[in-house]
Amino acid sequence: MSISPTLGVCYYPEHWPEEWWDKDAARMAEVGIKYVRIGEFAWSRLEPTPGDLQLDWMIRAMDVLGKHGLKVVVGTPTATPPRWMVDKHPDMLAVDARGQRKGFGSRRHYDFSHLPYREESARITQILADALSDHPALGGWQTDNEYGCHGTTYSYSPAALEGFRKWLADRYGSIEALNQAWGNVFWSMEYNSFDQIDLPNLLVCEPNPIHDLDFRRYSSDQVSAFNKVQYDILKAKRPDLPVIHNFMSRYTEFDHYDLAETLDVASWDSYPIGHLAVSDETEDMKRQYMRQGDPDNAAFHHDLYRTVGHGRWWVMEQQPGPVNWAKFNPDPLPGMARLWAWEAFAHGAEVVSYFRWRQAPFAQEQMHAGLLRPDSEPAPAYGEASQVAEELKLTGLDGPVGKARVALVFDYDSEWAWEVQPQAQGFKHGAHVRDIYAAFRKHGVDIDILSPKTKSFAGYDIVAIPALFAWTEELREAVAAFEGHLLIGPRSGSKTKNFSIPARLGPDLSPNLLDARVMRVDSIPAHVSVTVKGGGSTRLWREKVETRGEVVMEDNEGVPVLISQGKLFYLTASGDRALMQRIADYLIAEADLPILSLPAGVRARSRGGFRIYVNYSASGATLSPAADESGYVIGGTEVPAAGVTVAKLAKAG
């Protein structure tokens, strides 16, 4: 059951004198905070030595928080096993691709394939469930913290090798079937038994692409299996409480859809400025939005995790000020902590939880801002959070977001495949999805993200499937039955699930759907582009296609770029932002989709009878009121930099 939009905060009572707790809790309640996450890094205080359980302090902290009307989300502490655990299981540490074992002294120092550590994680989870499940302040659980962060999904350890071999045997059944599926006749790579198969690292040159891809699939399954152990324990104890995990931005080393089969709510950690700083976006983009973040990245992840969470999602960690982990960590524009929260609520968030309550004066994250400074005085986001809480009361915003009219398919298998075999350096599935997402979003179009297991596109006007590795049967079924406008490509369906070229050259759709066949591929360096007639350019990837379909767009060399057959469109190349905008505009016109006229840097999303406008620009903007709006409940047509306007819709949508 979902909850009405509200605020939360991340708190670490073990970091502060106990006599501070009551005042902290009282101030949280005054700000308007309702949920407090604790405990996700506290194992050394919960169990200082093996079997010496010290849970009383956590119970007292929950007592204090509950006294002030706060609900507590307890994190299992498995992301930071204590030193004695490493001494007990020295082989639990992950091994990197160079064969070097990682060490103790930071976090996430464990191997998902290490079964004894998985048992230890189950043990501490059961202890917490038994001790805390009846506490009146308990509002939910968080499993672990940021699975895979710091590149820890993949381990090249003996435990991973043993697990991978068993996984392959289960998947293929016989070594003959694996040799056939992998094409191991090439380079005499054939095996006589599963015990001969090694991990795809420390090789003379690149591994067989399916070997690499299957290892990524195996590693993803280990993360899901690790989560399931904790989920089952927590749900058995309190089936009425949500189990949550906090995912990350642009992190794709495991399949979030699969893992979320054992979650009730998806959450993610939103650090818009930090994420932009470490992204591969252009230097112009980074300069323009240095203090705001990419106007479309957070929104994309809001929509992604709404799908991952089966419609329920939170922001578990919201950036409140400068972070500490990028090369440079700018101070946000005044108002951004408020804007980011409102944008999340516009996309359906139940809770936006700021990280963290008080800035720590010690250890690795001492330069990471909180709602309070280290001296307990308010930081800028303190007042902005309080303002958001009051504005939520004013508007009465509630309910789920409605179904969008545009949808995009995002696929983790495709992310891995094009990392394994980009063919053009920088060719990424996620980049194609985000580019077309941003193009639609600039028109105020609401967008849903779909998984590759989606069986029907019914109800959508436009669906895009960019750079899909291999077709699933579900997607083939959805495509065949879809009556709306469908954009596919580039490179979609160019491989089988076993990473080989299909008999029908991509996009591998039947001729009655799309009469097109890729004859050659032109992979060009990033600094080279080919101009498209009418505007925009292709880059990185071009396909020379034979088709009897209509050529909608072509480049200056006469190569088709966008072809159509009825309402089915195929994009044959990677495009720059200008080309992707042209394509989105064309599809919007073809589908006769209503749009908004938005100033540069302004974005909008509708929820529960409201339309929320946010201004990512560093200067003010003027809105053009839409015909379906009946007035403003927050702000107005003049939206300042980092400003928010909330319009009331004449008819809820």
Side-chain angles (χ1 to χ4, degrees):
M1 188 174 84
S2 62
I3 61 176
S4 298
T6 192
L7 295 181
V9 75
C10 304
Y11 186 54
Y12 301 90
E14 70 272 24
H15 293 179
W16 314 112
E18 190 164 344
E19 57 266 27
W20 291 14
W21 296 355
D22 190 75
K23 184 176 181 181
D24 282 344
R27 294 178 77 183
M28 291 174 194
E30 289 171 3
V31 169
I33 287 166
K34 301 296 184 184
Y35 280 83
V36 181
R37 184 192 67 172
I38 68 171
E40 78 276 11
F41 297 132
W43 198 336
S44 68
R45 288 298 176 94
L46 295 168
E47 191 177 16
T49 57
D52 177 21
L53 298 174
Q54 302 286 338
L55 274 63
D56 287 352
W57 67 267
M58 181 173 277
I59 294 170
R60 292 196 303 275
M62 293 177 69
D63 291 342
V64 170
L65 294 165
K67 183 179 74 171
H68 291 277
L70 300 164
K71 284 294 184 181
V72 180
V73 175
V74 174
T76 63
T78 51
T80 53
R83 176 68 219 198
W84 61 258
M85 182 67 72
V86 177
D87 294 339
K88 182 178 179 181
H89 300 288
D91 60 341
M92 66 174 275
L93 297 170
V95 175
D96 69 18
R98 298 169 296 172
Q100 297 179 341
R101 192 170 292 278
K102 299 177 182 179
F104 176 86
S106 58
R107 64 179 186 174
R108 299 223 53 82
H109 41 278
Y110 70 84
D111 185 333
F112 283 107
S113 294
H114 192 272
L115 298 184
Y117 181 66
R118 194 178 298 178
E119 293 171 3
E120 295 277 12
S121 298
R123 181 183 63 83
I124 193 65
T125 300
Q126 187 69 64
I127 288 167
L128 290 175
D130 291 341
L132 306 178
S133 62
D134 292 330
H135 197 288
L138 184 65
W141 307 95
Q142 177 186 291
T143 57
D144 204 89
N145 186 80
E146 295 183 337
Y147 284 140
C149 189
H150 316 298
T152 54
T153 297
Y154 307 129
S155 176
Y156 300 84
S157 64
L161 176 59
E162 180 181 356
F164 184 47
R165 288 170 172 171
K166 183 179 184 305
W167 183 91
L168 290 172
D170 291 342
R171 182 177 180 88
Y172 292 101
S174 70
I175 197 64
E176 292 79 15
L178 179 141
N179 281 327
Q180 178 68 28
W182 283 18
N184 282 338
V185 66
F186 192 79
W187 284 357
S188 292
M189 294 184 295
E190 291 166 303
Y191 299 103
N192 304 115
S193 72
F194 288 102
D195 288 341
Q196 293 177 327
I197 300 174
D198 289 322
L199 300 176
N201 67 318
L202 301 177
L203 306 181
V204 175
C205 63
E206 75 275 8
N208 186 340
I210 185 57
H211 186 175
D212 196 339
L213 181 58
D214 269 353
F215 178 66
R216 293 168 188 248
R217 290 166 170 164
Y218 158 77
S219 299
S220 177
D221 285 355
Q222 301 318 294
V223 184
S224 296
F226 188 91
N227 187 78
K228 184 178 187 302
V229 169
Q230 297 190 22
Y231 176 85
D232 288 347
I233 292 168
L234 298 170
K235 292 303 285 186
K237 205 69 180 177
R238 283 293 301 270
D240 58 313
L241 290 181
V243 176
I244 310 167
H245 182 74
N246 56 329
F247 299 105
M248 294 175 289
S249 171
R250 300 196 187 190
Y251 191 86
T252 57
E253 287 187 359
F254 62 90
D255 190 316
H256 295 36
Y257 303 124
D258 285 349
L259 186 141
E261 292 303 310
T262 53
L263 285 180
D264 302 307
V265 177
S267 73
W268 77 288
D269 297 345
S270 178
Y271 295 93
I273 292 175
H275 292 152
L276 177 61
V278 300
S279 75
D280 56 2
E281 297 294 345
T282 66
E283 290 305 311
D284 285 345
M285 164 78 84
K286 291 181 178 181
R287 278 191 295 270
Q288 185 176 1
Y289 294 107
M290 177 183 71
R291 300 191 186 278
Q292 306 98 292
D294 180 340
D296 302 301
N297 187 68
F300 170 80
H301 288 85
H302 296 337
D303 291 336
L304 170 64
Y305 290 125
R306 189 174 63 251
T307 297
V308 169
H310 325 289
R312 295 191 64 189
W313 73 277
W314 297 13
V315 173
M316 191 62 81
E317 299 180 16
Q318 178 61 67
Q319 179 174 1
V323 298
N324 68 298
W325 37 263
K327 290 181 180 178
F328 304 97
N329 299 286
D331 191 21
L333 283 181
M336 289 308 300
R338 170 179 174 247
L339 180 153
W340 293 325
W342 264 110
E343 182 176 54
F345 290 130
H347 287 256
E350 296 179 6
V351 176
V352 172
S353 173
Y354 289 98
F355 184 89
R356 51 188 285 166
W357 174 245
R358 181 185 290 106
Q359 183 176 346
F362 47 77
Q364 282 94 328
E365 293 183 350
Q366 60 185 267
M367 295 301 293
H368 196 301
L371 294 183
L372 299 182
R373 299 186 324 219
D375 63 358
S376 296
E377 291 299 311
Y382 183 95
E384 293 182 31
S386 182
Q387 182 179 356
V388 172
E390 290 301 315
E391 289 170 339
L392 286 172
K393 294 178 189 176
L394 173 68
T395 62
L397 180 73
D398 204 356
V401 298
K403 184 171 184 174
R405 298 178 68 172
V406 173
L408 311 179
V409 174
F410 181 76
D411 175 38
Y412 290 91
D413 228 32
S414 297
E415 281 284 276
W416 306 333
W418 305 142
E419 288 174 1
V420 170
Q421 191 185 75
Q423 187 66 9
Q425 185 177 2
F427 184 98
K428 298 178 181 178
H429 169 73
H432 285 82
V433 176
R434 289 190 297 272
D435 282 351
I436 193 67
Y437 178 92
F440 281 113
R441 186 164 139 81
K442 286 177 182 176
H443 291 300
V445 174
D446 293 345
I447 303 163
D448 288 339
I449 305 298
L450 304 179
S451 90
K453 295 180 181 178
T454 299
K455 295 182 178 180
S456 172
F457 297 151
Y460 292 109
D461 294 274
I462 301 172
V463 174
I465 309 176
L468 182 79
F469 163 65
W471 290 105
T472 64
E473 290 308 311
E474 294 92 338
L475 283 181
R476 285 189 184 277
E477 180 181 329
V479 166
F482 187 46
E483 296 181 354
H485 291 75
L486 181 67
L487 175 68
I488 297 173
R491 208 174 179 178
S492 290
S494 62
K495 304 291 180 182
T496 69
K497 66 179 182 179
N498 290 328
F499 221 131
S500 60
I501 297 172
R504 176 179 171 81
L505 302 182
D508 192 27
L509 288 171
S510 60
N512 61 311
L513 287 175
L514 181 65
D515 188 352
R517 181 167 296 186
V518 176
M519 307 308 293
R520 294 190 309 285
V521 170
D522 184 23
S523 164
I524 55 179
H527 64 274
V528 176
S529 62
V530 180
T531 302
V532 176
K533 295 175 182 177
S537 300
T538 62
R539 53 187 299 276
L540 295 180
W541 184 271
R542 303 166 73 210
E543 295 170 355
K544 309 291 181 68
V545 176
E546 277 188 359
T547 180
R548 285 198 287 252
E550 178 188 355
V551 177
V552 179
M553 298 180 191
E554 66 179 9
D555 65 28
N556 283 350
E557 297 175 6
V559 176
V561 172
L562 183 67
I563 59 178
S564 71
Q565 194 162 321
K567 292 183 178 180
L568 181 59
F569 297 82
Y570 184 67
L571 174 63
T572 69
S574 299
D576 62 9
R577 290 285 176 93
L579 178 60
M580 299 312 295
Q581 193 64 60
R582 276 189 67 198
I583 290 169
D585 294 349
Y586 183 85
L587 291 171
I588 286 169
E590 287 289 299
D592 195 24
L593 201 66
I595 62 174
L596 300 175
S597 177
L598 296 177
V602 174
R603 302 292 187 267
R605 223 287 178 192
S606 299
R607 177 185 181 181
F610 297 94
R611 179 172 291 123
I612 294 94
Y613 294 90
V614 293
N615 183 13
Y616 271 87
S617 174
S619 58
T622 301
L623 300 177
S624 299
D628 61 348
E629 296 171 359
S630 61
Y632 301 107
V633 292
I634 294 175
T637 56
E638 299 301 319
V639 191
V644 175
T645 286
V646 180
K648 182 72 175 174
L649 296 177
K651 182 180 179 181

